[in-house]
Amino acid sequence: MPVTDEAIEKIKAMIVDGELGPGSRLPKEADLAERLGLSRSSLREAVKALSLIRVLHVRQGDGTYVTSLEPGLLLDAMGFMVDFHQDDTVLQFLEVRRILEPAATAMAAKTMTDTDVAELRAILDELDEDPTVEALVANDLKFHSRIAAGSGNTVLCSLIDGLSGPTARARIWRGLTQEGAVRRTREQHDAICEAIESRQPEVARAWATVHVAGVEQWLRNTLGSAESALEQE
């Protein structure tokens, strides 16, 4: 095992075993390196790596601390990594969204308060009567993020937020090229919101599935048509 990986594993073990908890300050570099049987350079590299994925936080002049280890913080790294996706993986992101978002929407129909639902409705009311595609997609991201938060599950919320970015371009593309896409999106948003308002989790789940699956099927058909055209050339 490379020495940096070994250092990472040893610090991870200290956290997993409870020796270092959220907010704990790591021992001084020299002391920790000696204790773990590591060189100071490999320990430094391990700290840098764990800082990048938000497990550790280096405070200049103060020391190195374990972060809160909250799901949203740790899953930020996933959001960073999926930004490097290639176009041919967008369908896979949409497939995962189709699995997760309906579940979150059903949960939100049970757990969101009346105030939460009113705020969700207010998000939809922010749109003009004839919005641009870009404005609609921005509103769509905000709408679904609020529902994910309303599920009450912070891990699920973080996963959905991390997966939303890579599919935004596909949604804009669809809005610009598919007739009626903007109207259908607004109608489906209203239906999802109404199902949550009326506390019908299975209806909310069904509408969320239809909503995400519509984008997925459009992209699948579009990519299939493009491949067929290239084969005929």
Side-chain angles (χ1 to χ4, degrees):
M1 181 185 294
V3 289
T4 300
D5 290 349
E6 181 185 0
I8 290 172
E9 287 300 319
K10 288 185 175 181
I11 296 172
K12 176 184 172 184
M14 293 177 70
I15 296 172
V16 172
D17 293 343
E19 186 175 350
L20 291 172
S24 297
R25 187 180 187 275
L26 268 66
K28 292 181 179 180
E29 182 183 272
D31 295 339
L32 185 59
E34 181 179 359
R35 176 180 166 184
L36 297 179
L38 301 167
S39 68
R40 294 178 68 171
S41 61
S42 63
L43 180 60
R44 266 187 229 111
E45 290 302 314
V47 168
K48 286 179 184 178
L50 290 170
S51 297
L52 285 173
I53 60 173
R54 308 294 185 88
V55 172
L56 298 179
H57 174 57
V58 179
R59 301 178 188 172
Q60 295 299 327
D62 186 13
T64 300
Y65 291 79
V66 180
T67 66
S68 66
L69 302 179
E70 289 292 325
L73 183 67
L74 297 181
L75 288 170
D76 271 350
M78 184 195 74
F80 177 77
M81 288 184 288
V82 298
D83 284 340
F84 292 100
H85 75 284
Q86 301 297 313
D87 286 341
D88 58 358
T89 64
V90 174
L91 273 173
Q92 295 178 31
F93 286 114
L94 284 167
E95 287 171 352
V96 176
R97 280 190 62 210
R98 178 165 46 81
I99 294 168
L100 297 181
E101 287 202 22
T105 306
M107 292 166 68
K110 297 178 183 178
T111 61
M112 289 181 80
T113 66
D114 291 343
T115 300
D116 292 335
V117 175
E119 292 173 355
L120 185 65
R121 175 62 69 180
I123 290 173
L124 296 183
D125 292 342
E126 291 174 0
L127 276 180
D128 297 333
E129 285 299 316
D130 186 24
T132 64
V133 171
E134 291 78 4
L136 181 67
V137 170
N139 188 265
D140 179 271
L141 290 169
K142 188 175 179 181
F143 177 73
H144 289 289
S145 179
R146 188 67 190 83
I147 291 174
S151 72
N153 186 310
T154 55
V155 175
L156 183 57
C157 178
S158 298
L159 286 170
I160 290 173
D161 283 346
L163 290 166
S164 294
T167 63
R169 185 166 56 180
R171 281 177 275 178
I172 292 174
W173 185 16
R174 180 197 186 205
L176 291 171
T177 60
Q178 186 182 42
E179 185 177 353
V182 172
R183 173 183 53 79
R184 278 194 296 276
T185 296
R186 296 196 72 157
E187 290 173 351
Q188 290 166 5
H189 281 178
D190 283 335
I192 291 169
C193 193
E194 287 172 8
I196 293 174
E197 283 175 328
S198 58
R199 308 301 179 185
Q200 298 183 76
E202 292 312 311
V203 175
R205 184 196 303 272
W207 273 114
T209 301
V210 167
H211 183 55
V212 179
V215 181
E216 180 189 343
Q217 189 57 52
W218 168 81
L219 184 59
R220 196 179 299 280
N221 292 341
T222 300
L223 293 177
S225 298
E227 288 177 3
S228 297
L230 287 172
E231 289 173 359
Q232 292 172 8
E233 289 181 357

